Short mmCIF file of all heavy atoms in Angstrom, two decimals:
data_model
loop_
_atom_site.label_atom_id
_atom_site.label_comp_id
_atom_site.label_asym_id
_atom_site.label_seq_id
_atom_site.Cartn_x
_atom_site.Cartn_y
_atom_site.Cartn_z
N ARG G 60 108.60 100.72 114.47
CA ARG G 60 109.12 99.66 113.59
C ARG G 60 108.72 99.89 112.14
O ARG G 60 109.47 99.53 111.22
CB ARG G 60 108.61 98.30 114.07
CG ARG G 60 109.11 97.11 113.28
CD ARG G 60 110.63 96.99 113.38
NE ARG G 60 111.13 95.80 112.72
CZ ARG G 60 111.25 95.63 111.38
NH1 ARG G 60 110.87 96.60 110.56
NH2 ARG G 60 111.73 94.50 110.89
N HIS G 172 99.10 90.31 106.22
CA HIS G 172 100.15 89.38 105.80
C HIS G 172 101.52 90.04 105.70
O HIS G 172 102.49 89.35 105.37
CB HIS G 172 99.82 88.82 104.41
CG HIS G 172 98.59 87.99 104.35
ND1 HIS G 172 98.14 87.42 103.17
CD2 HIS G 172 97.70 87.62 105.29
CE1 HIS G 172 97.02 86.74 103.39
NE2 HIS G 172 96.73 86.86 104.68
N ALA G 173 101.61 91.35 105.92
CA ALA G 173 102.77 92.08 105.39
C ALA G 173 103.59 92.84 106.42
O ALA G 173 104.31 93.77 106.04
CB ALA G 173 102.30 93.02 104.29
N LEU G 174 103.55 92.48 107.68
CA LEU G 174 104.41 93.14 108.65
C LEU G 174 105.88 92.90 108.28
O LEU G 174 106.32 91.76 108.17
CB LEU G 174 104.15 92.61 110.07
CG LEU G 174 104.98 93.25 111.19
CD1 LEU G 174 104.71 94.74 111.30
CD2 LEU G 174 104.72 92.54 112.52
N GLY G 175 106.63 93.99 108.08
CA GLY G 175 108.03 93.86 107.70
C GLY G 175 108.28 93.98 106.22
O GLY G 175 109.44 94.02 105.78
N ALA G 176 107.23 94.05 105.40
CA ALA G 176 107.39 94.21 103.96
C ALA G 176 107.76 95.65 103.63
O ALA G 176 107.46 96.58 104.39
CB ALA G 176 106.12 93.81 103.22
N HIS G 199 103.66 86.87 111.56
CA HIS G 199 105.10 87.06 111.80
C HIS G 199 105.45 87.23 113.27
O HIS G 199 106.52 86.81 113.72
CB HIS G 199 105.59 88.27 111.01
CG HIS G 199 105.34 88.15 109.54
ND1 HIS G 199 104.11 88.40 108.98
CD2 HIS G 199 106.15 87.76 108.53
CE1 HIS G 199 104.18 88.19 107.68
NE2 HIS G 199 105.39 87.79 107.38
N ARG G 267 112.15 89.69 117.82
CA ARG G 267 112.62 88.66 116.89
C ARG G 267 112.04 88.82 115.48
O ARG G 267 112.20 87.93 114.65
CB ARG G 267 112.28 87.27 117.44
CG ARG G 267 112.92 86.97 118.79
CD ARG G 267 112.83 85.49 119.16
NE ARG G 267 111.47 85.02 119.26
CZ ARG G 267 110.68 85.20 120.32
NH1 ARG G 267 111.13 85.85 121.39
NH2 ARG G 267 109.45 84.72 120.33
N LEU G 268 111.37 89.94 115.22
CA LEU G 268 110.72 90.11 113.93
C LEU G 268 111.72 90.02 112.78
O LEU G 268 111.47 89.35 111.78
CB LEU G 268 109.97 91.45 113.87
CG LEU G 268 109.33 91.78 112.52
CD1 LEU G 268 108.33 90.70 112.08
CD2 LEU G 268 108.65 93.15 112.56
N ASP G 269 112.85 90.69 112.89
CA ASP G 269 113.83 90.65 111.81
C ASP G 269 114.31 89.23 111.53
O ASP G 269 114.44 88.82 110.37
CB ASP G 269 115.03 91.55 112.13
CG ASP G 269 114.69 93.03 112.01
OD1 ASP G 269 113.75 93.36 111.26
OD2 ASP G 269 115.35 93.84 112.68
N ALA G 270 114.55 88.48 112.59
CA ALA G 270 114.98 87.09 112.42
C ALA G 270 113.86 86.25 111.80
O ALA G 270 114.11 85.40 110.93
CB ALA G 270 115.40 86.49 113.75
N ASN G 271 112.62 86.50 112.22
CA ASN G 271 111.49 85.76 111.67
C ASN G 271 111.32 86.04 110.17
O ASN G 271 111.07 85.13 109.37
CB ASN G 271 110.20 86.13 112.41
CG ASN G 271 110.21 85.68 113.86
OD1 ASN G 271 111.09 84.94 114.29
ND2 ASN G 271 109.24 86.15 114.63
N LEU G 272 111.44 87.32 109.82
CA LEU G 272 111.34 87.68 108.40
C LEU G 272 112.45 87.05 107.58
O LEU G 272 112.22 86.54 106.47
CB LEU G 272 111.39 89.20 108.26
CG LEU G 272 110.14 89.98 108.69
CD1 LEU G 272 110.48 91.45 108.89
CD2 LEU G 272 109.03 89.81 107.66
N ALA G 273 113.66 87.10 108.11
CA ALA G 273 114.80 86.52 107.39
C ALA G 273 114.60 85.04 107.14
O ALA G 273 114.90 84.53 106.05
CB ALA G 273 116.10 86.76 108.17
N ARG G 274 114.07 84.33 108.13
CA ARG G 274 113.84 82.90 107.97
C ARG G 274 112.76 82.63 106.93
O ARG G 274 112.89 81.74 106.07
CB ARG G 274 113.45 82.27 109.31
CG ARG G 274 113.16 80.77 109.25
CD ARG G 274 114.32 79.98 108.68
NE ARG G 274 114.08 78.54 108.71
CZ ARG G 274 114.71 77.67 107.94
NH1 ARG G 274 115.63 78.08 107.08
NH2 ARG G 274 114.43 76.39 108.04
N ARG G 275 111.68 83.39 106.96
CA ARG G 275 110.62 83.20 105.97
C ARG G 275 111.14 83.48 104.56
O ARG G 275 110.79 82.76 103.61
CB ARG G 275 109.44 84.12 106.30
CG ARG G 275 108.61 83.65 107.51
CD ARG G 275 107.56 84.69 107.89
NE ARG G 275 106.74 84.23 109.00
CZ ARG G 275 105.54 83.67 108.89
NH1 ARG G 275 105.02 83.47 107.69
NH2 ARG G 275 104.86 83.29 109.95
N ARG G 276 111.95 84.50 104.42
CA ARG G 276 112.50 84.81 103.10
C ARG G 276 113.46 83.72 102.63
O ARG G 276 113.52 83.41 101.43
CB ARG G 276 113.18 86.18 103.15
CG ARG G 276 112.16 87.31 103.22
CD ARG G 276 112.75 88.65 103.60
NE ARG G 276 111.70 89.67 103.61
CZ ARG G 276 111.74 90.79 104.30
NH1 ARG G 276 112.82 91.07 105.04
NH2 ARG G 276 110.74 91.66 104.26
N GLU G 277 114.17 83.13 103.55
CA GLU G 277 115.08 82.03 103.23
C GLU G 277 114.27 80.82 102.74
O GLU G 277 114.63 80.17 101.75
CB GLU G 277 115.89 81.66 104.47
CG GLU G 277 116.95 80.62 104.27
CD GLU G 277 117.72 80.37 105.56
OE1 GLU G 277 117.10 79.97 106.58
OE2 GLU G 277 118.94 80.58 105.57
N ILE G 278 113.18 80.52 103.43
CA ILE G 278 112.33 79.39 103.02
C ILE G 278 111.71 79.65 101.66
O ILE G 278 111.69 78.77 100.79
CB ILE G 278 111.24 79.13 104.09
CG1 ILE G 278 111.86 78.68 105.41
CG2 ILE G 278 110.22 78.10 103.58
CD1 ILE G 278 110.90 78.71 106.58
N PRO G 303 108.75 91.27 99.92
CA PRO G 303 107.58 90.72 100.60
C PRO G 303 107.91 90.24 102.01
O PRO G 303 109.07 89.99 102.36
CB PRO G 303 107.17 89.53 99.72
CG PRO G 303 107.92 89.69 98.45
CD PRO G 303 109.16 90.43 98.80
N ALA G 304 106.86 90.08 102.81
CA ALA G 304 107.02 89.55 104.16
C ALA G 304 106.80 88.04 104.22
O ALA G 304 107.10 87.41 105.23
CB ALA G 304 106.07 90.25 105.12
N TRP G 305 106.23 87.45 103.15
CA TRP G 305 106.04 86.01 103.05
C TRP G 305 105.27 85.42 104.23
O TRP G 305 105.74 84.54 104.93
CB TRP G 305 107.37 85.27 102.88
CG TRP G 305 108.05 85.54 101.59
CD1 TRP G 305 109.22 86.24 101.40
CD2 TRP G 305 107.62 85.16 100.28
NE1 TRP G 305 109.52 86.32 100.06
CE2 TRP G 305 108.57 85.66 99.34
CE3 TRP G 305 106.53 84.44 99.79
CZ2 TRP G 305 108.45 85.47 97.97
CZ3 TRP G 305 106.41 84.25 98.41
CH2 TRP G 305 107.36 84.75 97.53
N HIS G 378 108.19 80.69 110.41
CA HIS G 378 109.60 80.90 110.70
C HIS G 378 110.21 79.83 111.60
O HIS G 378 111.43 79.72 111.66
CB HIS G 378 109.84 82.30 111.28
CG HIS G 378 108.82 82.73 112.30
ND1 HIS G 378 107.70 83.45 111.95
CD2 HIS G 378 108.76 82.55 113.63
CE1 HIS G 378 106.99 83.70 113.04
NE2 HIS G 378 107.60 83.16 114.06
#
Side-chain angles (χ1 to χ4, degrees):
R60 182 62 175 76
H172 296 179
L174 181 62
H199 302 80
R267 300 193 299 279
L268 176 58
D269 286 335
N271 294 350
L272 286 163
R274 179 56 176 159
R275 286 173 178 263
R276 287 166 179 156
E277 185 178 60
I278 294 167
W305 293 112
H378 42 267

